[in-house]
Amino acid sequence: MMTMREAERSCSTLVVAEIAQAHDGSLGILLSMVEAAAACGVDAVKFQVHIAHAESGPEEPFRIPFSPVDRTRFEYWRRMELSPQAWKVVQSRCVELGIEFIATPFSCAAVDLLRDLGVRHIKIGSGDASNPLLL
């Protein structure tokens, strides 16, 4: 597996599969997507890490009603949130498959989670490019 820095030095292309939140909160679906991406020959997969209580609150007035499935944005984040143990399973599967685990955190708590996992590369979303707390 080539790291991003190695790809930059060798002028090679690093192919990253963007999984984001397409797993809909299901660890099983997420692992299937990781396996499918690896079978396609990607170098890395990138996820979004959301921690509901760090991003929103149950009484948040913003974007209500939110969706036919989730009444509020907070409910959506809760459904999409994976536990630290689940992220460890995903990270281990990436290692087994020889692909790099990359993630975009959406809170300082998510940065802490990624740091605790030892994630080597964190991508900051464009909406957070000027967020000094997250950076």
Side-chain angles (χ1 to χ4, degrees):
M1 168 178 75
M2 183 178 295
T3 68
M4 284 191 242
R5 290 192 199 279
E6 291 167 340
E8 288 173 2
R9 279 185 233 135
S10 70
C11 296
S12 296
T13 300
L14 184 76
V15 179
V16 180
E18 172 71 40
I19 293 178
Q21 291 177 229
H23 53 79
D24 203 35
S26 166
L27 179 59
I29 291 171
L30 178 53
L31 291 171
S32 296
M33 295 174 124
V34 168
E35 291 165 5
C40 290
V42 303
D43 300 299
V45 287
K46 191 187 88 54
F47 311 98
Q48 291 182 0
V49 177
H50 292 277
I51 299 176
H53 74 272
E55 296 178 44
S56 185
E59 302 304 319
E60 175 187 80
F62 185 60
R63 293 185 232 187
I64 296 174
F66 179 67
S67 77
V69 176
D70 307 294
R71 188 181 58 79
T72 66
R73 191 73 163 175
F74 180 77
E75 288 177 10
Y76 172 70
W77 293 139
R78 290 289 300 168
R79 186 169 56 83
M80 298 305 290
E81 185 177 293
L82 296 175
S83 70
Q85 296 79 14
W87 282 118
K88 286 179 187 176
V89 169
V90 174
Q91 184 182 42
S92 293
R93 189 65 182 132
C94 288
V95 169
E96 290 168 6
L97 295 169
I99 56 178
E100 190 158 357
F101 178 113
I102 302 170
T104 298
F106 287 86
S107 65
C108 293
V111 171
D112 291 342
L113 174 103
L114 295 172
R115 188 176 295 142
D116 290 346
L117 289 173
V119 173
R120 291 176 39 182
H121 294 97
I122 294 174
K123 187 227 178 246
I124 299 301
S126 58
D128 284 314
S130 61
N131 180 344
L133 292 175
L134 193 67
L135 297 175

